[in-house]
Amino acid sequence: MAGTGSRDRTERRSAGELESEVLAALWATERPLTPAEIQAELDGGLAYNTVHTILKRLYDKGLVLRDADGRRGAYRPVKNAAELTAEAMHEALDRGPDPIAALQQFVSGLSAEEERALRHLLGGGTA
């Protein structure tokens, strides 16, 4: 059957999923990676041009930097995973009409371990 290769699997994933996969590959290393290296890290499941397009989108969003020194065309993340997640959480709270209610809903869904960590961070208990 025509059109049932890895390209079709790639097309079914959203741009956000692909961006997350590329960011995860960048976060997994301490050095900038080229599109070819990222493609290899993703087990070749994406075409080189797709990886390059995703990197351009991430660059345009300010999420990755192109390495000007050293190797040409290598990329590195601007923020680590925790920083990016925290920023997204702040943006979500800012968008909603009732950030306190949103926080209450969020906290009620935490695991026991997450709740202990949050209490520790807020200084109200032990971790």
Side-chain angles (χ1 to χ4, degrees):
M1 176 183 222
T4 58
S6 64
R7 179 181 167 115
D8 287 337
R9 285 192 302 276
T10 300
E11 289 173 350
R12 281 187 235 134
R13 290 183 287 194
S14 72
E17 288 176 285
L18 295 174
E19 289 175 3
S20 293
E21 289 178 30
V22 169
L23 282 170
L26 291 169
W27 288 326
T29 185
E30 294 291 321
R31 64 180 180 82
L33 298 176
T34 65
E37 290 171 325
I38 294 168
Q39 181 187 27
E41 285 293 316
L42 299 175
D43 298 324
L46 296 175
Y48 177 87
N49 288 343
T50 302
V51 173
H52 192 268
T53 298
I54 294 165
L55 286 165
K56 179 167 180 1
R57 286 182 187 156
L58 291 170
Y59 180 81
D60 290 345
K61 291 179 180 182
L63 297 174
V64 298
L65 295 175
R66 192 172 306 131
D67 191 18
D69 298 334
R71 301 177 338 188
R72 193 173 135 195
Y75 293 81
R76 60 187 168 88
V78 171
K79 298 175 182 170
N80 66 36
E83 291 169 324
L84 193 59
T85 300
E87 184 178 289
M89 293 168 70
H90 283 288
E91 289 172 2
L93 287 173
D94 290 343
R95 280 192 309 269
D98 189 349
I100 301 303
L103 279 172
Q104 288 172 330
Q105 287 294 313
F106 177 77
V107 170
S108 70
L110 294 176
S111 69
E113 181 182 356
E114 292 165 336
E115 185 177 340
R116 279 192 301 277
L118 181 58
R119 286 185 188 281
H120 177 74
L121 290 169
L122 294 174
T126 60

